[in-house]
Amino acid sequence: MVRSFGGGTTSVSSKMPGRDRARPSNCFVLNFDRPFIVAFTLFLPVLAAISFAAEPTRDSDYDYDPPAPGSYSLPVIKPAADGALLDSNNKSVKLRDLTRGRITLLSFIYTRCAAPKACPYATGVLTQIHDLSVDDKTLAKSMRLVSLSFDPEYDTPQRLAAYSDNVRDQKSGCEWSFATAKSRAELETILAAYDQAVDKRQNPADPQGPLYHTLRVFLIDREGRIRNIYSSGTLDPRLVVADVKTLLLENARVSKQ
């Protein structure tokens, strides 16, 4: 079956809450300023609450049983757009290189965000999915996570490297890339292509962060096509994993033809 949810999209929606390098002692506290530290401190309880369970479970937010992988189909929405990026190693990379070849979950974030159902929640969900991939060889080799910051002036490669070290409990598992746009102009092109709304808050000292945005996480197949767009109301980790496995089963069927 084809699942379709509201908002005028034909996408199927769900919601589910390396680099191998030694972490320098206390580098996160010593090297970064207060907005970054405050945002991450507020993020920790969200991450802990989401990550404790080894497997995603039903909760009050998602009180339903997700469909079995492969029991439904996911329509193609549109091609995933390209763009020039800098990754957390300060290396130039094309967005298309991070959205082809594997099943990709692309999340737009910024590290200063402290809104509970925005970036902290999305990153917590990706953390849980990454943890699942540590013990699932198929997910580890076939899935990729991408966290793309829309705050390039603040989220430098150095800050993204520290952020990635602190949100990933496991250094094994599937690939997880952290990056931002190479320029503000390039960023605006990427945001427009993905319909990702971002605005400055009237109060730059707002405790939830200086930017207001909608939460959007994109499921992208191996051919670089968007197959689902998750919002804060549909980002259920159980359903995201079912969607990823559905696309893997689709690939397996096609390869046998």
Side-chain angles (χ1 to χ4, degrees):
M1 73 179 180
V2 175
R3 291 180 291 127
S4 180
F5 293 81
T9 180
T10 58
S11 67
V12 182
S13 299
S14 14
K15 66 175 184 178
M16 163 177 169
R19 296 172 323 128
D20 291 326
R21 61 191 289 271
R23 185 184 307 170
S25 176
N26 296 327
C27 72
F28 179 72
V29 174
L30 294 177
N31 291 344
F32 300 102
D33 52 15
R34 190 172 183 277
F36 185 91
I37 296 171
V38 169
F40 191 78
T41 301
L42 293 173
F43 162 72
L44 287 175
V46 178
L47 176 61
I50 291 174
S51 300
F52 273 143
E55 292 288 339
T57 57
R58 178 191 294 217
D59 60 25
S60 58
D61 287 334
Y62 308 117
D63 190 14
Y64 68 95
D65 293 320
S71 65
Y72 56 92
S73 62
L74 291 161
V76 173
I77 300 174
K78 64 179 183 179
D82 193 13
L85 305 177
L86 276 178
D87 68 13
S88 56
N89 293 312
N90 201 28
K91 293 182 179 179
S92 297
V93 62
K94 287 288 189 181
L95 182 53
R96 65 170 290 109
D97 293 334
L98 300 180
T99 56
R100 305 305 193 269
R102 295 190 181 202
I103 308 300
T104 301
L105 289 167
L106 169 63
S107 175
F108 285 90
I109 66 159
Y110 75 113
T111 64
R112 292 185 286 175
C113 180
K117 286 294 280 186
C119 305
Y121 180 74
T123 301
V125 168
L126 264 59
T127 297
Q128 186 176 14
I129 295 173
H130 183 263
D131 288 348
L132 291 174
S133 74
V134 172
D135 298 318
D136 189 319
K137 293 182 179 179
T138 299
L139 290 180
K141 70 180 182 180
S142 303
M143 182 176 64
R144 175 193 299 115
L145 310 178
V146 179
S147 294
L148 179 56
S149 171
F150 45 74
D151 189 12
E153 293 84 4
Y154 186 87
D155 287 337
T156 62
Q158 183 186 21
R159 282 196 173 96
L160 290 175
Y163 186 79
S164 69
D165 280 347
N166 282 279
V167 301
R168 287 190 299 185
D169 292 332
Q170 305 288 341
K171 298 306 178 185
S172 58
C174 71
E175 174 187 329
W176 192 351
S177 296
F178 293 77
T180 190
K182 296 189 73 171
S183 68
R184 174 58 56 177
E186 189 72 30
L187 173 65
E188 295 301 334
T189 300
I190 294 171
L191 295 179
Y194 285 89
D195 297 319
Q196 174 66 65
V198 180
D199 293 303
K200 291 184 178 180
R201 294 185 187 273
Q202 290 186 345
N203 176 15
D206 190 294
Q208 293 196 347
L211 302 177
Y212 174 80
H213 65 98
T214 55
L215 186 151
R216 289 168 74 81
V217 177
F218 296 82
L219 176 67
I220 303 170
D221 66 21
R222 285 172 167 165
E223 288 71 43
R225 302 172 299 181
I226 297 173
R227 305 294 291 272
N228 201 357
I229 305 172
Y230 309 107
S231 67
S232 60
T234 59
L235 191 62
D236 175 357
R238 300 172 304 154
L239 194 48
V240 175
V241 170
D243 286 353
V244 170
K245 291 182 176 180
T246 291
L247 292 185
L248 291 174
L249 290 170
E250 176 183 285
N251 291 149
R253 287 194 298 270
V254 171
S255 64
K256 290 180 180 179
Q257 293 177 355

